[in-house]
Structure formats: C-alpha cells, structure tokens
Amino acid sequence: MTNIEILEIDEIVVETPTIKTFFFDWHFDIEPGQFVMIWVPGVDEMPMSLSYIYDKRGITVRNVGEGTKALHSMEPGDRIGIRGPYGNGYEIKGEKILAVVGGIGGASVLPAVEKASRENIEVDCALGAKTQKELLFLDRLYDLTNLKVATDDGSMGHPGFATDICEEMMKGVDMVITCGPEPMMKRIVQMAIHKGVPIQASLERYLKCGLGLCGSCVIDGERVCVEGPVFTGEELNNFEEFGKYDRDSSGRKKPLERPKQTY
Amino acid sequence: MAVLKTKIASMRFDPPVILASGVMGQTSSSMLKMHEYGMGGIVTKSIGLEPRAGHPNPTMVELDTGLLNAMGLPNPGIEDFLPELKSLISKVDIPIIASIFGSNREEFIDLAGKMEANGVDAIELNLSCPHAEGYGASIGSNPDLSGDVVDGVVSVTDVPILAKLPPLSDVSVTAKSVEHEGADAIVAINTVKAMALNFETRLPILGNRYGGYSGPGIKPVGLRCVYELFEAVDIPIIGCGGITRGRDALEYILAGASALQVGSAVYYRGREAAKLISEEMIDLMDEQDIKDIHSLIGAAHRC
C-alpha cells in the first residue's frame, strides 16, 4: 500500500492564457495554504496548493514545465495521483486583513481569503499580474474582497506593481497574507515589518519528497515542505536566503535574479 | 544515568546517534539544524565530482511499513558543496563525516582528498546506493571493486574511512574485503532495492521505477547484517536501517553495532529524532541498571 490516491479529473477551467484549474473529488481535511503532491502518472510529481477547498476541490496550475505541460494537456476523466496534505497553512487573525497576490500566488491565497470571508473577517486585496489577461481569480476576489488591481503594462488598474499600491492599503489592517514572486514578497514583508503589521507569506522552493527528508526545499535550515510553506514576517526576516537565493534540482545555490519584478 | 558515549576510530559520539547520509545533509544550515536537534554526528549527502539533478519525481513514496526513495544521488557537486561543508565545520564540534560516491577508484580518491583537505573528521564511501546505475551498490555488490576503492582512498588519506555497504546476502564477504584493504569501520545497511506499483494506472510510481526501501520494515534485514558482520570482522560497525525508537537502537547495539545512523526516523519522529531515541535508550538501560553502553555491544552473541 502506498498513500497515493488516484483521482479522475472532473472538470477543467481555463483561467488565463497560461493557467488552468483542475477539479476533482477528494475529501481530506485541509487548511488554507497547505499543499498536496500531484502525480502526473509516468511524467512527474509536483507540489501544488489547493486553490479550492470548500464546495469543490481543485488545483490551479500555470504551464511552466514538462509536468505542468502534461497536466495542461489532460482532459476530464483523465487520472492523476494525489498525496497529502502537507505543510502548514495561513493562520488568520483579526477583524480586517490584507491579501497581496501576485501571478499564480492566488492559488495559495484564495482559500485563506474564502475562510476569512466565511468568518466575517473583512478582506482588502491587492492583485497584480503582467497584464489584464493574466489576472488570476479576478471574479472570485472581486466578490470576496475590497479589490485593487495592478498590471505591469497598465492594461487594467494601477500601471505598475502590486507593491506600489499595497503600502497605503496596509493602514488599518490587523495582518497581511501574501503569495507571489519572491522579490515582491520580500518587499511586502519589509513594508509590513516597518509598519508593525503581522505578515505571513507562502514560499516556493524546489521540492522533491514533501516529507521533510531530502532537504531539497530547505531555506536557512527550515523545510518549506514541513515548517512552511507559510512563514511569518519574523521568520522571514531572519532568513538570509529569503529574496536572495533558491536552489536547483542538484542543490546548487542560485541567485533569484529578477531585474524587473515579474509574475 | 546510563552513559551512551562511544568512540569509533578517532571520533567521539555522544550520543552515538548519527544523521545518515541523504537526509537534510545538503546545506550547512540544514545540517546545523539537525545538530541542534540532538544528532551526535552528521553524515553529509553523498557528494560526487559534478552537479547531479537526480531522478525525476516521484522520488519518494510513503508505504505502510517504511519509505521508498529514488532520489538518484542529487548533489551540487564537490566544488559547490565545499563552502557549505566549511561553514558547517566552523560552527560545530561533533564529528562531520563526508559521504562520497564515484564510479571508480580514481573518482573516490579525488573526492576523498578534497574532503579531507577541508577538515572532515571521516569519509564514508557510498558503496550501496541501490538506485543510481554505475554507482553505489553497483560497486558494493562486488567485493573486489569495493576493496579496490577502499585501498585507493586509504592510500591517500589519513582520516578514518567508513565503508557503507548494501544489504547483501553475503555481506560479510564484501566487509572482509574492505577491512583487509584498510577500512576503519563498516556502516550497514543502506536502503533495500525495491519498488512500488500502482494498480489503477498500471505504472511503477517512482520516476526511476526502482528505489531504496527504508524505515521500520527493513530493521530485521539490518539487524541480520550487523549480527553477521560482528562475527566476520574486527573493525567497528555502525548500524543503520529502520531505527526509529530507543529499543531499535539497542537491538542494533546487541547485534554488534558501536554506533547508529538514522534517516527515515526524521520522518517518523521529527527533527528531534536523535534526542528522543537517545533518551529512550537511556531509559531502557536505566531500567536494567546498565551503566555503560559498551557492555551491550555484541551482547546478543554470547548466548
């Protein structure tokens, strides 16, 4: 017996030109921010946040590599494997929170926004993407939050980055949650610490086993797959590698080279 | 209170619970963390001459009785690893053992020299990884090849050389060969070559199809190997394979181990595995009023 459960994909929704959501029937208890390992049989296995955890369950995936390409070519009725959930989740506190979401980061943040909304916590949201067509979960966030949008090319909302608009939005909130490109999160964490607002951010690293053993996802000695993926501002502030380095499949340190912020 | 401290060659282990190669052993910060959580020694991830990405995922599967992995010896390569190693050595005073893998004698010699020059306390030769063709068990299953590698490394280094062996049926033959060529200790066992299949998809699960089985299910295999080795060789044995509790550790000591390595225990018990296992060993020994662990080493051979 292994703990991999095989599921059929029930429904596929095209979210943006590069992002699709895959819905399936899976009943494990899960907290917003936790992740699962998705097996594309015969191709790859990848960590994925559950982007839907309430009325239906799903993962939202950007087509970036061999495994995600294989997933994007699947159709309803095709089979995937799932194991988990793994890692920790967001711990939502207070009466009003701010969610800062960049690119594919909405896949991790949306369930936390939904949970907050169900608990009558007011949510403000700054959503950023390269361009209007790549804004993920625009409708979901419009319904659930006080939403402000930023696009790099100015095709919708503020012309520029989500970081430009969120400083002002931090006033009067009890906490901030964020998921997006790491340079964006680094700036937001610095801003929040400067303003004394608690913050939690979900990190991404090259993740292999998901069980806290292989060490490939380690940042400053902490395992993104067990102690993370969500870390607090205090933890992140003590990490030397946060916003500076990640590691490739062989474990070599790579600078997070992002001359311009991208999603 | 019972005393657990032991010595192997020039190394002192207290507790004699050592982090096995392949678990949290790739970066200075992760190995430092494992030390802080109570490991009495650290074996690094197996390092080769060049960077290696390892096998495609899935690389690890949870089973009812253990774990199955086919990481495929991913590692940053010796040049990128040395700064991590130096940083670690500058921060801790427990024994740091560098695990190395190569496809032949010359590669092992090259790696061992670089590791020794950077201050490691000992070198562990990976002669036993079951899921990387041409490396590990491909060498360790051949007594002559294994002896040749040990002979080469011993001739160019002064630090203790540990040979980590696969769980062979005739493990004593390889062990005698490496002992004869100058190995200072044997580490037994590595994971057991195995696989997992999925019925619905008709496919092997691991990206590499074959992997190495570890955890509670392989303890009887490890105990058998250590028991046989204790009667076959005179050099110390480090026991490894399915040790998750103090009782498992003491069983390995009774079989003939002078120290222990744990890996999968970090999954079963958390990062504090070594601390928990050591405390349980002390409790069990105190219950029977046993003061010194040396009185238990190989004790199962007396009856």
Side-chain angles (χ1 to χ4, degrees):
Chain A
M1 264 278 285
T2 70
N3 70 331
I4 293 182
E5 193 182 335
I6 304 297
L7 306 171
E8 272 186 20
I9 298 169
D10 292 332
E11 186 191 350
I12 299 172
V13 171
V14 177
E15 305 283 2
T16 80
T18 62
I19 299 171
K20 287 182 179 178
T21 296
F22 302 82
F23 290 101
F24 41 73
D25 207 15
W26 188 68
H27 296 283
F28 274 80
D29 287 341
I30 186 160
E31 288 295 317
Q34 286 191 293
F35 70 95
V36 292
M37 295 299 288
I38 294 291
W39 181 39
V40 182
V43 183
D44 200 358
E45 186 189 44
M46 302 154 289
M48 294 285 166
S49 301
L50 278 213
S51 54
Y52 287 83
I53 65 168
Y54 290 108
D55 303 330
K56 45 188 180 177
R57 294 282 172 89
I59 53 170
T60 300
V61 182
R62 173 175 271 169
N63 187 353
V64 287
E66 196 190 341
T68 54
K69 186 179 167 194
L71 198 53
H72 267 243
S73 70
M74 284 186 159
E75 298 188 359
D78 286 347
R79 289 194 177 106
I80 55 171
I82 188 168
R83 61 184 175 100
Y86 298 120
N88 65 357
Y90 300 98
E91 210 177 305
I92 307 294
K93 282 173 275 185
E95 291 170 7
K96 185 178 182 184
I97 68 167
L98 170 65
V100 187
V101 186
I104 191 71
S108 158
V109 171
L110 253 292
V113 168
E114 274 178 349
K115 187 181 182 189
S117 173
R118 282 165 179 248
E119 292 173 359
N120 294 315
I121 296 167
E122 188 179 353
V123 185
D124 288 354
C125 180
L127 172 67
K130 274 182 185 164
T131 184
Q132 181 177 2
K133 281 183 183 164
E134 288 294 339
L135 286 164
L136 178 63
F137 296 141
L138 188 60
D139 287 340
R140 269 175 103 190
L141 287 167
Y142 179 79
D143 289 344
L144 292 165
T145 71
N146 309 309
L147 180 64
K148 286 191 178 165
V149 167
T151 51
D152 292 10
D153 65 0
S155 49
M156 186 175 177
H158 170 81
F161 303 137
T163 43
D164 305 338
I165 54 175
C166 70
E167 185 158 18
E168 185 68 21
M169 295 173 79
M170 274 185 205
K171 285 176 189 162
V173 301
D174 297 311
M175 72 172 297
V176 181
I177 59 173
T178 181
C179 186
E182 198 156 308
M184 175 197 100
M185 291 196 287
K186 174 100 178 167
R187 272 201 288 277
I188 293 162
V189 166
Q190 285 167 342
M191 250 180 237
I193 288 172
H194 183 69
K195 289 179 176 296
V197 183
I199 181 163
Q200 293 168 18
S202 178
L203 299 196
E204 185 176 1
R205 282 294 179 274
Y206 203 108
L207 202 154
K208 292 186 178 181
C209 78
L211 306 176
L213 286 174
C214 75
S216 87
C217 68
V218 160
I219 174 167
D220 288 85
E222 303 293 330
R223 299 167 294 182
V224 167
C225 72
V226 177
E227 283 79 46
V230 179
F231 293 96
T232 65
E234 292 74 44
E235 290 172 313
L236 295 164
N237 203 31
N238 288 326
F239 286 167
E240 285 173 21
E241 295 179 21
F242 176 54
K244 290 187 191 141
Y245 297 102
D246 61 4
R247 288 171 196 271
D248 67 11
S249 180
S250 74
R252 273 177 297 179
K253 229 176 181 179
K254 299 281 176 194
L256 279 165
E257 277 168 9
R258 308 277 197 278
K260 269 192 187 172
Q261 181 181 12
T262 59
Y263 298 104
Chain B
M1 201 170 79
V3 173
L4 295 183
K5 60 185 176 187
T6 61
K7 264 182 86 176
I8 288 182
S10 52
M11 293 177 287
R12 295 179 180 83
F13 297 103
D14 186 15
V17 182
I18 303 162
L19 180 67
S21 183
V23 174
M24 296 288 282
Q26 202 158 270
T27 71
S28 170
S29 62
S30 64
M31 291 184 276
L32 185 62
K33 190 66 81 174
M34 296 312 294
H35 164 53
E36 288 166 7
Y37 274 94
M39 292 287 173
I42 303 277
V43 187
T44 70
K45 180 98 189 135
S46 286
I47 302 297
L49 287 172
E50 300 296 330
R52 213 178 127 95
H55 295 313
N57 260 14
T59 47
M60 211 177 289
V61 188
E62 298 155 272
L63 308 171
D64 293 341
T65 50
L67 299 165
L68 189 60
N69 92 82
M71 301 308 300
L73 296 173
N75 80 100
I78 184 81
E79 295 310 325
D80 275 46
F81 182 69
L82 288 176
E84 302 282 346
L85 183 67
K86 277 192 273 194
S87 160
L88 174 70
I89 289 173
S90 72
K91 288 173 186 153
V92 301
D93 51 11
I94 57 166
I96 302 299
I97 301 163
S99 173
I100 58 174
F101 72 92
S103 59
N104 57 48
R105 174 187 169 110
E106 281 64 41
E107 288 185 15
F108 274 100
I109 289 175
D110 192 355
L111 289 160
K114 286 175 173 146
M115 289 295 190
E116 183 180 31
N118 282 277
V120 297
D121 295 290
I123 289 162
E124 180 178 286
L125 309 175
N126 182 342
L127 305 174
S128 41
C129 173
H131 47 74
E133 214 174 322
Y135 299 105
S138 306
I139 296 169
S141 55
N142 181 324
D144 295 335
L145 281 181
S146 302
D148 186 45
V149 167
V150 171
D151 171 62
V153 172
V154 165
S155 67
V156 298
T157 54
D158 291 324
V159 294
I161 302 302
L162 322 182
K164 185 165 183 178
L165 301 184
L168 306 165
S169 299
D170 53 357
V171 66
S172 296
V173 178
T174 307
K176 281 179 183 163
S177 174
V178 299
E179 179 184 40
H180 181 257
E181 299 302 338
D184 295 278
I186 306 281
V187 182
I189 55 175
N190 204 315
T191 55
V192 180
K193 190 172 181 181
M195 75 186 305
L197 297 173
N198 175 256
F199 173 68
E200 286 86 353
T201 58
R202 316 283 194 265
L203 287 171
I205 295 174
L206 292 172
N208 184 55
R209 296 182 294 161
Y210 307 110
Y213 181 25
S214 66
I218 71 163
K219 190 182 75 172
V221 183
L223 283 175
R224 186 272 298 174
C225 288
V226 170
Y227 194 91
E228 283 185 11
L229 289 169
F230 188 74
E231 299 191 347
V233 298
D234 293 323
I235 52 178
I237 302 154
I238 300 176
C240 183
I243 299 169
T244 53
R245 304 164 302 169
R247 185 173 285 274
D248 305 323
L250 289 173
E251 288 169 10
Y252 268 92
I253 299 284
L254 295 179
S258 297
L260 310 152
Q261 290 186 2
V262 297
S264 301
V266 174
Y267 166 76
Y268 291 101
R269 307 294 302 274
R271 288 192 289 193
E272 60 274 40
K275 186 170 165 288
L276 297 173
I277 290 169
S278 309
E279 286 168 1
E280 290 160 359
M281 290 170 77
I282 289 171
D283 286 348
L284 282 165
M285 289 169 67
D286 285 348
E287 276 172 28
Q288 297 194 19
D289 206 26
I290 298 159
K291 301 271 185 258
D292 187 342
I293 196 160
H294 288 89
S295 66
L296 295 176
I297 296 173
H301 293 264
R302 282 172 206 156
C303 39

